[in-house]
Amino acid sequence: MTSTKTLYLLCSAAPPVFDVAHVIEDAQSRGWDVCLGLTPTAAHWLRVSLDGLAALTGHPVRWQYKLPGEPDVWPAADALLLAPATFNSLNAWALGLTDRFAIGVAAEAIGKGTPVVTMPCTNAALAAHPQFDQSLATLRGAGVTVLYGENGFVPGPAGVDAPPHFPWQLALDAVDATTRGPNGQ
């Protein structure tokens, strides 16, 4: 597939990550060249699918930083989507804690001026922690489009393994909107 737009799709370890192949296919149908980055736990969860996901995207799936001097194996990003974004990932990102590849790439994208969208995936108990609202405010203040609450992901109760619905379409629509010109093209 030939594309002029590159999307970095970065995923944390939350149950919606198991739908990532369908999300990649949807993004590709929208004209995106997708590069998939994962947190280490998400990579562990998807370990049996990593080769297939690399074949689907045409790029290596990354979850670790490259060594100094090694070439970058991904093209430059035109947009970045971090979803599902766990409580831990969002807080680390907002605090600038970049020991994990996916979080470091997301943090750097802000400084590069790359359009960034995120959709949290957490439960209501974790979302009630005071740091969570502070982290969302920090990311919004840095220009990140945060899809949470009424116009995004609505958390469910603690103790439920998977949310009943994760609005991937809304996330991809938001990514598309970040790269449209003033006349909607």
Side-chain angles (χ1 to χ4, degrees), residues 11-15 17-18 20 36-51 53 61-64 100 102:
C11 302
S12 301
V17 77
F18 291 111
V20 75
L36 179 61
L38 305 168
T39 62
T41 303
H44 175 71
W45 286 8
L46 297 176
R47 68 190 175 280
V48 298
S49 303
L50 294 176
D51 289 340
L53 291 167
V61 177
R62 297 192 56 198
W63 63 92
Q64 295 177 317
R100 288 174 286 143

Side-chain angles (χ1 to χ4, degrees), residues 71-119:
D72 199 342
V73 294
W74 286 356
D78 294 296
L80 183 144
L81 172 61
L82 176 54
T86 62
F87 176 81
N88 187 56
S89 291
L90 280 168
N91 288 325
W93 183 17
L95 293 170
L97 305 176
T98 60
D99 59 324
R100 288 174 286 143
F101 170 77
I103 305 309
V105 171
E108 196 172 63
I110 293 170
K112 289 180 174 180
T114 303
V116 179
V117 174
T118 190
M119 186 172 310

